[in-house]
Amino acid sequence: MIAMLSLMLTVPMMAQYGHSPRYRGHYARPSSYSPLDMYFGLRGGGSFSTVSSDDPLLDGGSMRAGVNVGVVAGFQMVPSTPLYFETGLMYVEKGGEGKYQGSKFTYSLNYLEVPLLLKYKGVVDRDLSVQPFIGGFLSAGVGGKIRDFGHRQAFSSFSSDGFKRFDGGIRLGCGLQYAHLYAEVGYDIGLANISRDSFDTSRTGSLFATLGVNF
């Protein structure tokens, strides 16, 4: 996460260097996309997530709603080609719910998350672009509760009886930008096994939608 934040701080200086006429050189080729074109954005939205687990006590196959909010930054990877790398820092809420021996249980998994995406900006007209993306995410658990309604107990989702704090996986989806306004939908496929039990596997999945602005 520190590396990603450092990148977000250093890329603007690189972009300023690239845009400066003093350093562009006599043989710079004209392009509809400026070298190291970049943007910053604010994001907020919601998600519907599940956790599939071999452990019936932790198999949250029913969707659980949550929120996600954060900041992103993207920069163009290749001059004259609208291919961008996007990262940032997000707070996301995932989790699941289900039943075990007739009793309901729910759990929330709250993360600080770093997206690592490749995004293509397909320009429709001057103000409108379609932006499909694919990549991954890395998450660190910062909170959450497991609630066992049958025994009326609650404890931390990341305790010894719960889940590991680290998660990561694949993200894919598509965004739409009109002027400075931005909207996207996507899906996270968790690849990391977040189960603490050596004989079980637990993985997250999350359908999300966000709104925001790009600057």
Side-chain angles (χ1 to χ4, degrees):
M1 292 183 181
I2 294 174
M4 292 300 100
L5 292 174
S6 300
L7 181 63
M8 292 168 63
L9 293 174
T10 56
V11 168
M13 293 185 290
M14 295 171 60
Q16 184 178 5
Y17 179 91
H19 283 296
S20 173
R22 178 180 178 182
Y23 298 105
R24 290 173 65 182
H26 180 72
Y27 297 102
R29 293 181 296 176
S31 171
S32 58
Y33 295 92
S34 301
L36 288 179
D37 179 35
M38 65 179 306
Y39 60 87
F40 293 94
L42 303 177
R43 299 286 187 267
S47 63
F48 295 93
S49 59
T50 60
V51 175
S52 59
S53 177
D54 297 333
D55 185 346
L57 184 58
L58 297 176
D59 186 25
S62 298
M63 284 190 171
R64 182 174 177 85
V67 301
N68 53 68
V69 61
V71 295
V72 299
F75 65 92
Q76 191 176 8
M77 297 184 64
V78 181
S80 76
T81 301
L83 183 65
Y84 289 73
F85 174 74
E86 182 178 288
T87 186
L89 185 63
M90 304 286 294
Y91 169 78
V92 301
E93 295 179 347
K94 298 181 180 181
E97 60 180 73
K99 287 188 175 182
Y100 179 69
Q101 296 181 345
S103 298
K104 177 182 176 181
F105 68 86
T106 66
Y107 48 82
S108 56
L109 302 170
N110 305 329
Y111 294 100
L112 285 179
E113 190 169 273
V114 175
L116 304 166
L117 304 176
L118 289 178
K119 179 175 288 189
Y120 183 86
K121 288 190 177 183
V123 177
V124 178
D125 61 27
R126 180 178 178 180
D127 294 320
L128 181 66
S129 64
V130 178
Q131 304 177 15
F133 57 84
I134 188 171
F137 65 92
L138 298 174
S139 304
V142 294
K145 289 287 186 180
I146 296 177
R147 291 179 171 86
D148 181 351
F149 289 84
H151 297 89
R152 300 186 64 81
Q153 294 178 340
F155 50 93
S156 171
S157 296
F158 301 108
S159 66
S160 59
D161 295 324
F163 301 99
K164 296 177 182 177
R165 289 186 180 272
F166 172 78
D167 192 17
I170 297 173
R171 174 171 298 175
L172 54 99
C174 188
L176 184 69
Q177 182 171 341
Y178 180 78
H180 292 292
L181 301 178
Y182 180 81
E184 70 180 13
V185 294
Y187 192 80
D188 287 345
I189 304 171
L191 299 181
N193 179 11
I194 62 174
S195 176
R196 290 186 180 274
D197 194 307
S198 301
F199 298 95
D200 295 325
T201 59
S202 300
R203 292 186 172 88
T204 60
S206 180
L207 174 68
F208 64 88
T210 60
L211 299 174
V213 292
N214 286 341
F215 304 100

